[in-house]
């Protein structure tokens, strides 16, 4: 399970933190329990307790051996810094299709375009982050796909990356913290992941 530090060039992205450590002013889509857009809210305010239900996405990319690409969130992130999480996650801009947002952020954070990207369902959850006190009230669109190019992670977004098997994932989870939402989104995406990677990969 080689872990690769991020050392690529910095990119100006939509979800970086300002020098003061606060998030830039970004608007998110607020949704109802059915995922229908009902308004917008500023990103940080949507995450303040008790949280406002908003649209999000999570991406799971695998190599041709069926290993999952994980990222460790950069220490400068205002939300859940320094924890391991899935390949990419974020929020569509208001009116932006989740698939487009998922492809955009994958390119911005990891410097690669997926060789394949497909929808993997949706999941709704409420996950407080004990470290920051922020709350993830999200209607999350899931995507699974393949990556064949070498990732070039933006170090302002990502501290490290690793390709892991299911067994290596369990060892990594025992060693260090993961994002509060990680297992929820992975479990919800598993049917699509198994269809993508095949039973031999073990997901």
């Amino acid at each position: 399970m080689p872990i690769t530090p991020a050392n690529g060039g910095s990119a100006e992205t939509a979800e970086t933190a300002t020098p003061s450590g606060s998030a830039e002013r970004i608007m998110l889509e607020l949704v109802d329990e059915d995922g229908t857009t009902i308004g917008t809210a500023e990103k940080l305010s949507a995450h303040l307790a008790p949280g406002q239900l908003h649209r999000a996405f999570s991406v799971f990319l695998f190599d041709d051996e069926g290993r999952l690409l994980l990222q460790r969130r950069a220490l400068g992130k205002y939300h859940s810094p320094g924890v391991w999480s899935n390949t990419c996650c974020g929020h569509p801009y208001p009116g932006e299709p989740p698939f487009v947002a998922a492809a955009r952020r994958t390119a911005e954070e990891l410097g690669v375009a997926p060789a394949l990207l497909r929808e993997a369902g949706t999941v709704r959850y409420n996950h407080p982050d004990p470290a920051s006190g922020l709350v993830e009230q999200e209607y999350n669109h899931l995507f699974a796909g393949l990556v064949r190019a070498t990732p070039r992670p933006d170090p302002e977004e990502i501290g490290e990356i690793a390709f892991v098997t299911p067994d290596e994932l369990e060892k990594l989870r025992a060693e260090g913290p993961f994002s509060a939402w990680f297992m929820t989104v992975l479990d919800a995406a598993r049917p699509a992941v198994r269809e993508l990677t095949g039973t031999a990969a073990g997901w």
Side-chain angles (χ1 to χ4, degrees):
M1 181 184 57
I3 294 177
T4 306
N7 55 13
S10 172
E12 187 73 21
T13 68
E15 299 199 44
T16 55
T18 63
S20 66
S22 62
E24 295 175 4
R25 185 171 179 81
I26 301 165
M27 303 305 290
L28 308 184
E29 277 190 0
L30 300 180
V31 301
D32 64 17
E33 295 291 340
D34 297 319
T36 302
T37 302
I38 58 173
T40 61
E42 191 274 327
K43 180 181 175 182
L44 182 57
S45 68
H47 290 86
L48 297 177
Q52 299 179 77
L53 183 59
H54 58 275
R55 195 178 309 282
F57 65 83
S58 290
V59 177
F60 297 86
L61 295 183
F62 298 81
D63 65 11
D64 286 327
E65 298 174 31
R67 298 180 303 170
L68 171 61
L69 174 57
L70 296 177
Q71 66 156 282
R72 187 172 186 182
R73 293 165 64 86
L75 292 175
K77 301 283 280 185
Y78 84 100
H79 189 356
S80 301
V83 304
W84 287 99
S85 197
N86 49 293
T87 308
C88 180
C89 58
H91 309 91
Y93 296 132
E96 182 182 28
F99 183 93
V100 173
R104 171 178 59 80
R105 283 302 290 168
T106 299
E108 290 172 350
E109 291 190 4
L110 289 152
V112 293
L116 171 71
L117 191 64
R118 54 172 289 187
E119 294 182 358
T122 60
V123 62
R124 191 263 196 252
Y125 52 77
N126 174 7
H127 282 308
D129 175 36
S132 67
L134 299 174
V135 178
E136 290 288 6
Q137 287 266 18
E138 293 191 330
Y139 188 93
N140 199 305
H141 298 255
L142 309 173
F143 299 93
L146 300 174
V147 59
R148 295 192 171 111
T150 301
R152 294 176 289 106
D154 175 0
E156 291 193 6
E157 298 288 344
I158 298 173
E160 300 171 282
I161 60 171
F163 283 95
V164 298
T165 65
D167 287 343
E168 289 169 338
L169 172 61
E170 289 310 305
K171 291 178 183 176
L172 196 58
R173 288 184 63 216
E175 294 169 1
F178 271 68
S179 63
W181 61 87
F182 175 75
M183 285 308 300
T184 299
V185 292
L186 176 58
D187 286 343
R190 280 187 197 274
V193 166
R194 289 171 181 146
E195 192 173 311
L196 178 74
T197 61
T199 55
W203 296 102

